[in-house]
Amino acid sequence: MIRKASILFLFFCLFTRNAAHSQSVSSIIIDSVSQNPVPYATVQWATKKGAITNEEGRFNLLLPEGIQKSDSLFISCLGYESIAKPLEAFDEAIIYLVPMAIELKEVIVSNKQYTAKEILEKMKEGIVANYNLTLTKKRLFFRKSSFQQMHKSDYTLKKSTIKAFNKKFLDSVISTIPKNNSYYTEVLGDLYGNYEDEEQKLNLIKASELYDKNMELDFNKLEEKFNSIIKENVKTDSYFKIKSGFFGTKVEVDEILGEEIDSTDVAALNKELEKTRREEEERKKNFAISRRNALGQMFNNLPILEDSDLNFIWKSRKYDFTLEDFTYLGADAVYVIDFKPKRSADFKGKLYINSDDFALIRADFENVKSLKTFNLLGVSLNNYLHKGKVIFSKDTSEKYSLSYYESEQGNRMGVKRPLKIIEKNKRVKGRNKQNELSAKVDIAFANIDKNEVVIFDSENISKADFDAFKENNKVLPTYMPTYNPEFWQGYTIIEPNKAIEEFTATEAPLE
């Protein structure tokens, strides 16, 4: 049961914070009938700057500079009566939205009663006029959540001529592999560009990583143990031939052991420090590039774009469309169109299209079959999940821009094949085979990646502004073993869900 708190108590907590922190208002939005949280509701000021509620109906909104208690806060969500009241008029920390009861026949007031296909065609015809496709600067928050799960990790040891590479050692390797693992990264920044991959630049402001670092330490310990076995049992001028079925590759021993540094050799130490510095700089650069590329792929894959993988709009002949319902977003009437594949198409879902300007304001989608499968010589891949939602809203230019994007993709992978690791040595006369490990592996695992992006503010920029901007590649994510709500104090973000808030790394590395 959700406990109510008075607005006086809420504002006492919010406005008596340390002066170093910006002021904000937090709340949860609830359906007044079902008492369930209302996700993806828009919360904004008259300036169209604001936030969106997370899947649990919660939001945290930074109060603009110079805000007055008499300034209005606007809350809207599809299918609910909108609220527009002065800030001081919200008398509870829990905000209730009242569902609208609408019948389709009561709200179609046009002389023309459109079919689902006609509505869809008008939507496509109006994309250029309705959407802001120019260069913009977008303040956004991007959260990526990754989950891995090991389903199977079996093996059969057939032969090993290095005693240390025995069943006990291999069992320790298997036990080191985490059966379940989670990783979260959050980024706040300004994205410059449009909806084309090559026209994207990212200015990172702040970033965080939330994961169990102790799992990394386990792998480091395992690597140390493996290297010690190699040093004791393998000649330094040997190499390994790794074979799995018909495939083979060559690995030099030095590549595994690396180069040892004499702590008394100042030149070697300086060289190693310089290498570490370069790697750190490269990591900063690569982190920014990876976030920018991920955002670019999302913006380049919106369903309003013709070459999108979400093809249910531009390859509409592959789908059946049904005008299912009518609803409201604020004062705007919205068509609700259900779509499903005719034969070989990939997705099903719903489209929400404004009845006045025929703009798509929301699309919910989910795959109906595996999007990609691969199974060859014991290696398998199944891209079994791709679902999400896209929400557009009007920006300060009075055109529609992306305000929220969520996607969830899942893959199942497996390897079931023989494996041989053979030590060979070029200097040994005659048969150069020295040692061998032979086994059969049967591994299966799955991973799910969830991306969430919310755009808080968008403004048009010129091509000259875009060209002049230089990316900031010096921000690295701050590591957190447990979620720290103070880290994002003073910034508007997507509120974390319960799983993120309760995430805690193991207290100590496993032995």
Side-chain angles (χ1 to χ4, degrees), residues 173-187:
V173 173
I174 296 297
S175 65
T176 303
I177 300 173
K179 300 298 181 286
N180 295 282
N181 196 14
S182 302
Y183 171 83
Y184 305 93
T185 181
E186 299 178 330
V187 166

Side-chain angles (χ1 to χ4, degrees), residues 327-360:
T327 189
Y328 277 92
L329 178 59
D332 296 324
V334 177
Y335 294 109
V336 182
I337 295 178
D338 180 85
F339 67 90
K340 59 184 179 181
K342 285 182 178 177
R343 290 177 295 275
S344 60
D346 298 324
F347 298 99
K348 66 177 182 179
K350 294 184 187 298
L351 306 176
Y352 300 83
I353 299 175
N354 190 306
S355 66
D356 182 33
D357 55 21
F358 295 95
L360 176 71

Side-chain angles (χ1 to χ4, degrees), residues 305-322:
L305 304 178
E306 289 194 50
D307 56 353
S308 172
D309 293 335
L310 305 176
N311 60 8
F312 38 80
I313 289 176
W314 289 101
K315 293 187 178 179
S316 55
R317 65 185 182 280
K318 293 185 175 184
Y319 293 87
D320 284 323
F321 296 89
T322 304

Side-chain angles (χ1 to χ4, degrees), residues 26-87:
S26 300
S27 190
I28 181 170
I29 298 179
I30 299 294
D31 184 308
S32 64
V33 176
S34 68
Q35 298 296 301
N36 292 325
V38 179
Y40 317 117
T42 300
V43 184
Q44 62 184 19
W45 311 104
T47 58
K48 297 188 182 295
K49 295 182 180 181
I52 193 167
T53 59
N54 69 1
E55 60 202 69
E56 297 167 351
R58 294 191 291 129
F59 73 91
N60 182 286
L61 183 62
L62 193 67
L63 301 181
E65 189 174 340
I67 191 71
Q68 303 295 322
K69 291 183 179 181
S70 58
D71 290 332
S72 290
L73 190 64
F74 299 85
I75 301 176
S76 60
C77 188
L78 281 167
Y80 290 90
E81 295 180 6
S82 297
I83 296 176
K85 294 181 181 179
L87 191 59

Side-chain angles (χ1 to χ4, degrees), residues 21-22 114 136 152 159 163 206 246 283 294 298 340 346 367 448 455 463:
H21 298 313
S22 299
Y114 296 104
T136 59
K152 184 187 291 186
K159 180 181 180 181
K163 291 182 179 180
K206 200 170 187 181
F246 298 113
R283 183 175 171 235
M298 283 182 263
K340 59 184 179 181
D346 298 324
N367 64 305
I448 292 177
I455 292 89
K463 185 66 165 62

Side-chain angles (χ1 to χ4, degrees), residues 135 192 199 201 461-471:
L135 292 168
Y192 293 72
E199 294 288 341
K201 294 181 181 180
I461 59 173
S462 67
K463 185 66 165 62
D465 290 335
F466 177 80
D467 291 338
F469 171 73
K470 303 300 180 185
E471 288 186 307

